[in-house]
Amino acid sequence: MKKITSKNVKKTVLFICKHNSTRSQMAEGLLKSTHSDLYDVYSAGTHPGTLNQFAVKVMDEVKVDISRNHSKSLKEFAGVEFDYVVTVCSKEGESCPFFPGGKNYIHQSFEDPTVFDGGDDEIITVFRRVRDEIGEWIKETF
C-alpha cells in the first residue's frame, strides 16, 4: 500500500461522500484553511459529480476558496494509505462509501443540502447551515 508522505510529518485525511460535490469538498476546504500545518487533506467520492456552485458560494463567504477544486473518484486514491478516512454522508437513505486505505475511520453524518427543494435563498440557507455544522465538527475533532 502506498502512503502519501509529507516532509513535515503531517497526518493525511481523506473526506469521502457519494458525489464529492458538496459536503466532502466543504470539509476538505475547511480543514485545509484551519489546519494545513498539521494535515494534508483530500476528498473524493464513489460517483464523482460536478462541484456544486452553492458550496463554492457559501465557502467564499467564510474566505475559503474551493472554486478551483474538482470532484474526484476514490479510484484516484486506490492503493494509498491515509491516517484518517472520514465519511460525511447523511444517516437516512444514503449509503456511505468505504475506502480500504484508512488507519482510522470516522463517520460524521451531515445532511445533503443538494437534495433540498426550494428557492435560491432557501437553498443557500441550508448550504450555510451544513457548512457551519461541518466547520464546528472539524474544530471539535481536529
Side-chain angles (χ1 to χ4, degrees):
M1 179 144 311
K2 296 183 285 185
K3 181 174 169 103
I4 293 178
T5 57
S6 172
K7 294 177 185 176
N8 298 328
V9 192
K10 294 180 187 181
K11 298 287 185 182
T12 54
V13 179
L14 176 65
F15 288 102
I16 58 176
C17 64
K18 186 174 182 179
H19 297 291
N20 187 228
S21 65
T22 301
R23 292 165 293 178
S24 54
Q25 290 281 351
M26 290 194 292
E28 176 186 359
L30 288 165
L31 186 56
K32 279 181 177 178
S33 73
T34 58
H35 295 305
S36 64
D37 57 327
L38 301 174
Y39 299 98
D40 284 328
V41 188
Y42 306 87
S43 67
T46 52
H47 298 87
T50 302
L51 182 62
N52 187 289
Q53 292 308 301
F54 284 111
V56 172
K57 181 176 176 142
V58 300
M59 293 300 287
D60 188 57
E61 292 173 352
V62 294
K63 309 291 187 247
V64 177
D65 183 8
I66 63 169
S67 64
R68 293 189 177 108
N69 290 13
H70 68 281
S71 295
K72 298 166 291 304
S73 171
L74 280 176
K75 293 175 186 176
E76 292 183 36
F77 299 101
V80 177
E81 183 178 83
F82 288 89
D83 293 299
Y84 298 96
V85 172
V86 184
T87 53
V88 293
C89 46
S90 63
K91 293 178 193 172
E92 298 177 18
E94 187 178 10
S95 61
C96 292
F98 177 75
F99 182 79
K103 289 182 182 177
N104 299 286
Y105 292 91
I106 301 171
H107 172 74
Q108 183 60 40
S109 179
F110 295 106
E111 177 184 1
D112 183 356
T114 66
V115 299
F116 183 79
D117 192 25
D120 285 359
D121 289 342
E122 296 168 308
I123 292 170
I124 204 80
T125 298
V126 174
F127 272 76
R128 286 180 183 129
R129 181 175 45 78
V130 172
R131 174 205 61 206
D132 294 346
E133 289 171 0
I134 293 170
E136 283 302 312
W137 179 78
I138 283 175
K139 284 181 192 174
E140 294 170 7
T141 307
F142 292 94

